[in-house]
Amino acid sequence: MALLTGSERYPGAGILSASAACSAGAGYCRFWGPAQAQACLLLSHPELVFDDEESLTSVLSRVSCWVVGSGFAGLDASEPRFPLISQLFAQDYQCASSSAVVEAGALRAADSASASASEFASEYVVVDAGALLAFVEARKARKAGTSTEDSAPRFVITPHTGEMARVMTALTSERWTHQQVEEQPRQCAQYVADNLGCVVVLKGNTTYIAAPEEQYELSSPTTWLASAGTGDVLAGILGALIAHNSAKLRDGKVSLATVCATSVLLHSVAGALASRVITPESAVQLLRGDAELDDVAQLGQPLTASTVVDHIAQAYGVLLQARESVSGQE
């Protein structure tokens, strides 16, 4: 997988998304971001491969999943990664096997999807915090001339309620507020999924995952996850799990929405472990259905996005243990 994340203003978003991807099992991870983020990541994750436009262009067809936009204040031609991101948006319409995950930060742009998009056929792309409105505009511009009704969703967008309000405003030409989204989150997520042909991960204490023909709701066991940077962590997890499952996604053995729901669950368990709301043992009980949250939850403690990253691998193990024990009972 490859990440085009972080910016000069928000280098931490690149660090968090890349660290989360590595911790969530991305086997081979590439990163193109600001120099200060690369310097920090070299110390904490020397397994990362650091790229630029030239080196990434040479491996486009070998990248299973992309994560773009985390830490972007916006997206326009002044951003060095803009041409490649525009190609990624365009290839959804030109390459039959493309997919992408988009969150909410690259907000402006996307009028120059070049013909070179047809030169590569990426599998999946995770676009994080700065790319939402750019994606919406690209989707709107091409939707009229290209039918995607018969294809599986190829993008995932991961807005919080404020970002979803801007997406709804862009789609409906009516001004939406985050309060309106909070009043009808399920309906908003489904509306955007249906109109853009993507998977929507509407983040919150209850996260709503919507695809054109599929929907999930997952409530977090802890409110401590409402902390700066945890969305960047989720984007990295999404990219890693989508990349890991890319073959199954291609073969139709699992849906993109299901992989997204699993990513949200992994993120939630990591947050609960990081905040000490639950223990690994009680987490397994909860996942197996052997206990209720009120029976095992503790008061917990504040967390940071970095501590969530530190608990991803442990949360991954908890999910595997719970699945194994349930399978053994069948």
Side-chain angles (χ1 to χ4, degrees):
M1 64 173 290
L3 300 103
L4 313 181
T5 57
S7 63
E8 295 298 327
R9 185 176 180 184
Y10 301 112
I15 297 168
L16 290 167
S17 57
S19 298
C22 290
S23 299
Y28 192 98
C29 195
R30 314 180 77 103
F31 179 80
W32 180 14
Q36 60 266 52
Q38 292 192 18
C40 291
L41 286 167
L42 182 60
L43 294 175
S44 59
H45 291 283
E47 65 272 19
L48 275 167
V49 176
F50 299 105
D51 280 300
D52 55 21
E53 183 175 10
E54 181 178 357
S55 59
L56 271 178
T57 301
S58 67
V59 297
L60 289 175
S61 63
R62 304 209 309 260
V63 176
S64 295
C65 186
W66 298 79
V67 179
V68 310
S70 302
F72 288 20
L75 182 63
D76 57 31
S78 65
E79 164 57 54
R81 294 161 289 187
F82 172 78
L84 179 53
I85 292 173
S86 295
Q87 290 179 13
L88 294 174
F89 288 163
Q91 58 92 34
D92 178 47
Y93 307 91
Q94 299 180 30
C95 301
S97 64
S98 304
S99 258
V101 185
V102 186
E103 202 187 333
L107 298 177
R108 304 178 296 273
D111 33 82
S112 70
S114 72
S116 60
S118 61
E119 297 175 0
F120 64 94
S122 297
E123 292 295 346
Y124 305 95
V125 183
V126 180
V127 186
D128 191 23
L132 263 189
L133 294 189
F135 166 72
V136 172
E137 293 306 316
R139 195 71 169 174
K140 286 169 59 180
R142 294 176 178 274
K143 185 178 179 182
T146 306
S147 175
T148 58
E149 293 180 358
D150 296 330
S151 60
R154 298 170 178 175
F155 285 83
V156 181
I157 65 173
T158 63
H160 54 60
T161 55
E163 294 161 343
M164 179 60 98
R166 294 195 285 274
V167 170
M168 291 293 292
T169 298
L171 279 177
T172 65
S173 300
E174 299 177 2
R175 184 178 180 275
W176 280 72
T177 65
H178 72 87
Q179 290 93 341
Q180 289 174 295
V181 174
E182 289 173 351
E183 290 170 359
Q184 45 189 328
R186 184 184 301 105
Q187 293 86 344
C188 288
Q190 196 64 58
Y191 178 86
V192 174
D194 291 342
N195 279 270
L196 296 182
C198 65
V199 176
V200 176
V201 178
L202 178 54
K203 299 177 296 189
N205 191 47
T206 296
T207 294
Y208 297 88
I209 299 109
E213 297 182 355
E214 200 171 358
Q215 193 173 88
Y216 297 93
E217 295 178 21
L218 286 90
S219 294
S220 173
T222 176
T223 58
W224 292 117
L225 266 174
S227 180
T230 55
D232 304 319
V233 174
L234 176 59
I237 292 174
L238 279 163
L241 266 63
I242 290 171
H244 184 70
N245 289 278
S246 59
K248 291 181 179 179
L249 286 163
R250 278 197 313 272
D251 296 339
K253 296 179 179 179
V254 66
S255 71
L256 191 55
T258 299
V259 177
C260 291
T262 303
S263 302
V264 171
L265 178 61
L266 176 59
H267 182 253
S268 294
V269 173
L273 293 172
S275 63
R276 298 188 179 181
V277 169
I278 56 176
T279 65
E281 294 74 22
S282 62
V284 172
Q285 291 178 322
L286 286 170
L287 292 167
R288 289 169 48 185
D290 294 339
E292 297 293 331
L293 181 61
D294 290 343
D295 298 329
V296 298
Q298 304 174 43
L299 291 177
Q301 63 188 31
L303 55 75
T304 65
S306 296
T307 59
V308 177
V309 172
D310 293 339
H311 286 80
I312 290 173
Q314 185 180 37
Y316 208 123
V318 164
L319 264 62
L320 291 175
Q321 184 179 349
R323 185 181 68 174
E324 182 179 352
S325 60
V326 170
S327 299
Q329 294 173 2
E330 294 178 351

